[in-house]
Amino acid sequence: MALRTAGSVLVVFLWSVAVVSHTSLSDAHLRFPFTHNSATMATKCGEKRQVMVSSNNAEKGQEVTLTCSTTCTLSDNPNPTYIWYIKGQCLDEVTSQKYSVMMYYSDSYSCAVKGYEALRSPAVCVLGQNCFNVTYTHQSICALKGSTVELPCTYQHPSNHVVSEPNWYIQEKCNEMPKILSSVPEYAGRAKYLGTKKKDCTLRITDLRETDSAEYKFRFKTQHTEWGYSFPGTTLTVTGLQVKVTPATEKGNLTLTCSTTCTLTENPKPTYI
């Protein structure tokens, strides 16, 4: 990404792999697994992507053009529609590849191609390196029913902002608005915010129930603005144990298998009793 004087172009590379979290710009090379709907595109474009940022920063009041760019042509969508995000919130009115803004605030910007929202670019700070951002350690977590799980999370904001409302939200269906977790009676006494009003935003849920399976998102407000929740958060899947019976062989032996519906994140190779 190159940033020069007024009227210069800020290039944001759109990663053609599944982004696990909102990564910092210091991570030059990262490798991620494919998503179910992007394997073809990711295979054609390769697995490694790089975000480059020049040493120069924009000045307040300067107009900067942001360009959402892929490192290869999408074979199934040569003329895509683009999606822009500011501070984690989707900008519905901006659909072009380029987006010109006047730099007055330490906002973070990101982009994606419509239909490939999971392959969004990392958030980019334009004015300095200390802007709004939220990072989820895990894109998805699988945990056992009745156990305790922690959803690790970190966030940042400009130093002149003071956080007033750090909250977690739950989104059970993709077409529904997230609900603030503290207002859902089923989580009373079980969901606890372990984070602070600076950097850490980890959430703990005890006595897990299968109905806790949902997508969890963190949002915070300051005295001036707030971080949105258009970005994906951490998807939690709560699984119980079940016994599967394999039909008898010619010798009359049955095979019993103890299994879960997903691989446990904290214990992928458990010992069974």
Side-chain angles (χ1 to χ4, degrees), residues 37-256:
N37 65 347
S38 62
T40 301
M41 184 177 67
T43 299
K44 288 181 179 295
C45 299
E47 297 179 50
K48 287 186 177 180
R49 284 297 168 267
Q50 182 176 339
V51 177
M52 295 178 293
V53 183
S54 73
S55 58
N56 299 321
N57 291 318
E59 297 180 358
K60 287 187 178 181
Q62 176 183 347
E63 183 180 53
V64 175
T65 299
L66 287 71
T67 302
C68 187
S69 177
T70 59
T71 55
C72 62
T73 301
L74 305 180
S75 58
D76 59 342
N77 192 5
N79 297 303
T81 297
Y82 294 88
I83 300 174
W84 286 94
Y85 304 88
I86 177 173
K87 292 180 296 187
Q89 190 65 39
C90 180
L91 296 174
D92 296 329
E93 70 277 10
V94 183
T95 58
S96 61
Q97 186 178 15
K98 294 187 178 183
Y99 175 39
S100 296
V101 291
M102 297 294 292
M103 291 292 103
Y104 288 108
Y105 307 103
S106 299
D107 296 332
S108 59
Y109 294 88
S110 188
C111 67
V113 171
K114 188 174 182 179
Y116 296 95
E117 286 83 352
L119 305 180
R120 68 194 178 280
S121 71
V124 172
C125 299
V126 181
L127 281 178
Q129 295 298 309
N130 188 20
C131 62
F132 294 89
N133 202 4
V134 173
T135 301
Y136 300 96
T137 303
H138 301 288
Q139 186 180 34
S140 61
I141 293 178
C142 175
L144 272 177
K145 177 182 178 181
S147 66
T148 296
V149 68
E150 289 187 2
L151 280 58
C153 167
T154 57
Y155 69 109
Q156 68 176 35
H157 56 81
S159 57
N160 62 328
H161 286 247
V162 178
V163 175
S164 58
E165 295 183 36
N167 288 306
W168 277 86
Y169 289 72
I170 181 175
Q171 189 167 11
E172 297 173 337
K173 298 180 180 179
C174 62
N175 58 349
E176 291 182 351
M177 286 294 292
K179 296 180 292 187
I180 188 168
L181 200 60
S182 59
S183 67
V184 182
E186 290 78 10
Y187 289 89
R190 297 192 302 119
K192 183 178 181 181
Y193 180 64
L194 301 181
T196 63
K197 291 188 176 181
K198 289 184 179 180
K199 296 184 179 180
D200 188 15
C201 50
T202 300
L203 174 70
R204 175 188 290 165
I205 306 175
T206 59
D207 189 22
L208 284 175
R209 307 167 184 174
E210 292 187 28
T211 53
D212 294 337
S213 297
E215 184 177 12
Y216 294 79
K217 299 182 178 184
F218 178 73
R219 186 176 188 176
F220 66 95
K221 293 182 180 181
T222 71
Q223 76 274 32
H224 300 302
T225 187
E226 62 184 321
W227 172 268
Y229 43 55
S230 293
F231 280 144
T234 295
T235 298
L236 172 65
T237 302
V238 181
T239 178
L241 291 173
Q242 57 183 341
V243 176
K244 295 182 179 180
V245 180
T246 303
T249 62
E250 294 181 357
K251 296 182 180 180
N253 294 326
L254 292 173
T255 299
L256 305 180

